[in-house]
Amino acid sequence: MSLPVLSRIRPALSAFGLLVLIAGAAYAQAFENLSIATKAGQRQSFKVEVARNDADRAQGLMFRRSMPADQGMLFDFGRVEPVSMWMQNTYLPLDMLFIRADGTIARIAANTEPLSTRTISSGEPVLSVLELNAGTAAKLGIKPGDRVEHPLFKR
């Protein structure tokens, strides 16, 4: 490459590199700490993405092919109400933990079926839903009545 061409490309490459670094930092900041305190006295920690608006809740974990064992997605519905979820365009089997406003787990829908349009109901009014990899709740002994600790929930 000639020097004039290289001198025009270098700033563009530098700007692209900066954009990649910023995007990577923003993605890392998207995770928040969440823990679950079981009635058996165990505490399990996760890094979660929080879906706080309609667009993020609609997207959820759709089209993802993997998720680390210590990560999940917390859906904040902004008010307490009955909710229904589905797995359309979601390739990962998931455990869905339906959570009351006080942080207690109301219900767990374990090992949900990927790509299904079947609705999965909360069974009662809840504030949020936590999605984890399928089998996580059983493996870690997480059950209804256990408490989710995150700033979203009242003490």
Side-chain angles (χ1 to χ4, degrees):
M1 235 183 252
S2 68
L3 188 54
V5 171
L6 186 57
S7 66
R8 286 191 306 255
I9 292 174
R10 187 174 294 145
L13 289 175
S14 295
F16 177 74
L18 181 60
L19 181 60
V20 168
L21 286 174
I22 291 170
Y27 181 73
Q29 292 172 357
F31 287 96
E32 298 178 16
N33 295 319
L34 176 146
S35 62
I36 300 174
T38 68
K39 288 184 177 180
Q42 302 283 1
R43 182 171 306 280
Q44 307 297 331
S45 297
F46 299 92
K47 297 281 186 191
V48 296
E49 297 173 69
V50 181
R52 290 187 169 94
N53 60 54
D54 289 340
D56 289 344
R57 286 188 296 269
Q59 178 67 36
L61 293 170
M62 288 194 314
F63 304 109
R64 299 196 194 179
R65 300 289 183 154
S66 66
M67 182 169 61
D70 67 339
Q71 292 181 7
M73 179 169 279
L74 181 65
F75 292 78
D76 175 2
F77 290 99
R79 62 183 176 267
V80 176
E81 62 187 357
V83 299
S84 292
M85 307 288 282
W86 68 353
M87 296 287 291
Q88 183 173 3
N89 299 318
T90 305
Y91 293 91
L92 303 171
L94 299 169
D95 286 347
M96 293 182 185
L97 288 65
F98 295 89
I99 309 166
R100 299 178 186 103
D102 67 358
T104 58
I105 298 171
R107 174 178 185 270
I108 298 174
N111 298 305
T112 58
E113 179 185 355
L115 305 174
S116 173
T117 57
R118 183 180 63 83
T119 58
I120 303 162
S121 174
S122 60
E124 68 178 75
V126 296
L127 178 63
S128 70
V129 175
L130 174 62
E131 292 183 340
L132 301 171
N133 285 309
T136 299
K139 177 181 172 186
L140 300 177
I142 298 169
K143 298 180 178 155
D146 291 345
R147 183 169 301 280
V148 178
E149 297 171 348
H150 181 272
L152 176 63
F153 305 109
K154 298 175 188 169
R155 297 238 173 232

